[in-house]
Amino acid sequence: MIRILQFGATGQVSRAMIAAAPGRAVLVPLSRNEVDLADAAAIEAAIAKTDCDLVVNCAAFTLVDKAEAEPEAARAANALAPAAMARACAARGLPLVHLSTDCVFDGALDRPYREDDAPNPLSVYGATKLDGETAVLAWEKGVVLRVSWVFSRFGRNFIRTMLQLGRARDELRVVADQYGCPTDAAALADFILAAAPRWAAADAGDPAFGLFHFTNGGATSRHDLAAAALARDPQTRARLSPIAKRDFPEPAARPLNGALDNSRVSAVFGWQAEPWTSAVARAADQIIAEGLDT
């Protein structure tokens, strides 16, 4: 059975990997308490000493607004830590799979972004994630999976927040002119585990290495994503009102169009993306069944 060393143990994708791994992989998840992402030497030591076939990095500084106030912390986790992972993986010849974001783009295009479109991040978060991509892709067995609008039954995410607010408020004002492609953490974990044997066995130059966009099928607005989640909850009382992004200012700028074209991952791996609508419905049902505050 394939052996995977995973950085990250508590985030959405980390927890989805842990849930999906039994029977498919021996997964060793490392939390920040075990390996500090700001400690490059500790990162490299963990990779050097662990018996594994593949390293997956699910850890990051994901607080987009907070990164504006704490750029060095964001840089340590999002750029310097992946660089340390890439060095250590290169030293052992191990593949490295790293997660990135749609926030490397400025959102100016009127179509979904492809992997060969030029990045132009608008925020500290996006800039540090782009630096992390560059470091990982410098290793010939590096894999970068750009994802966007991640949701799951685990932890805090947009779906859970909307469901909570839908029960607490009479009206929810949600941005209707910001677009993206929701990404189901469970589907992402399933893909990584399915592709792991290929990455572990492949030689450098295999098209399985490199940069990919991974999302569910279809793009939507924040407003319509909220509506899809709230429609699953018979206890919601909130009325949804669409607003423009300019009426919802945030410390960090985000792309108005963060939609990602995922055709390359389909072509290389034969992966068929589930429509976001059915994936969101399932996740919302799970969150409601398990309790909105869990």
Side-chain angles (χ1 to χ4, degrees):
M1 191 175 294
I2 195 163
R3 296 157 297 178
I4 300 173
L5 175 63
Q6 175 175 294
F7 288 90
T10 59
Q12 291 189 81
V13 180
S14 299
R15 293 172 67 181
M17 286 283 291
I18 292 167
R24 303 176 68 183
V26 176
L27 187 68
V28 180
L30 298 176
S31 70
R32 295 194 189 205
N33 290 332
E34 293 167 300
V35 177
D36 184 355
L37 293 181
D39 188 340
I43 291 170
E44 294 184 47
I47 293 173
K49 72 181 183 182
T50 302
D51 181 17
C52 63
D53 305 299
L54 176 74
V55 176
V56 175
N57 181 29
C58 298
F61 190 111
T62 58
L63 301 174
V64 179
D65 291 327
K66 191 176 182 181
E68 296 296 310
E70 300 181 15
E72 291 308 313
R75 176 170 171 75
N78 294 342
L80 301 183
M85 294 175 199
R87 287 193 301 270
C89 286
R92 289 191 56 189
L94 294 173
L96 171 60
V97 180
H98 172 71
L99 304 184
S100 192
T101 173
D102 61 313
C103 288
V104 299
F105 295 116
D106 60 15
L109 288 185
D110 60 358
R111 59 163 173 79
Y113 280 87
R114 299 188 298 262
E115 289 85 352
D116 58 356
D117 287 318
N120 184 32
L122 302 175
S123 64
V124 168
Y125 171 72
T128 57
K129 290 296 287 183
L130 180 60
D131 288 343
E133 288 186 7
T134 301
V136 171
L137 294 174
W139 165 225
E140 60 187 2
K141 289 189 177 182
V143 180
V144 171
L145 302 175
R146 286 184 184 144
V147 301
S148 59
W149 297 15
V150 176
F151 66 91
S152 71
R153 54 185 280 223
F154 301 114
R156 293 187 57 80
N157 57 68
F158 184 79
I159 303 303
R160 185 182 297 276
T161 298
M162 291 299 102
L163 290 170
Q164 290 172 331
L165 294 178
R167 292 184 181 184
R169 298 182 182 177
D170 294 323
E171 182 185 20
L172 288 179
R173 302 172 73 241
V174 182
V175 173
D177 60 351
Q178 182 183 15
Y179 296 88
C181 297
T183 304
D184 179 8
L188 178 57
D190 187 45
F191 168 74
I192 292 172
L193 291 167
R198 178 174 175 179
W199 285 320
D203 294 325
D206 190 297
F209 298 119
L211 176 62
F212 299 90
H213 291 170
F214 186 96
T215 70
N216 282 87
T220 188
S221 69
R222 287 286 187 187
H223 176 276
D224 289 351
L225 179 56
L230 293 177
R232 308 301 299 182
D233 187 9
Q235 295 186 48
T236 191
R237 73 185 204 197
R239 179 182 71 258
L240 269 182
S241 298
I243 62 170
K245 183 66 182 72
R246 65 176 179 271
D247 297 325
F248 187 72
E250 298 172 288
R254 292 161 169 81
L256 280 179
N257 173 32
L260 301 176
D261 183 322
N262 59 18
S263 57
R264 183 167 186 254
V265 77
S266 297
V268 173
F269 294 95
W271 184 262
Q272 297 301 312
E274 179 185 9
W276 71 264
T277 48
S278 55
V280 165
R282 182 172 58 252
D285 289 349
Q286 290 171 331
I287 291 170
I288 293 166
E290 293 170 4
L292 302 190
D293 297 322
T294 58

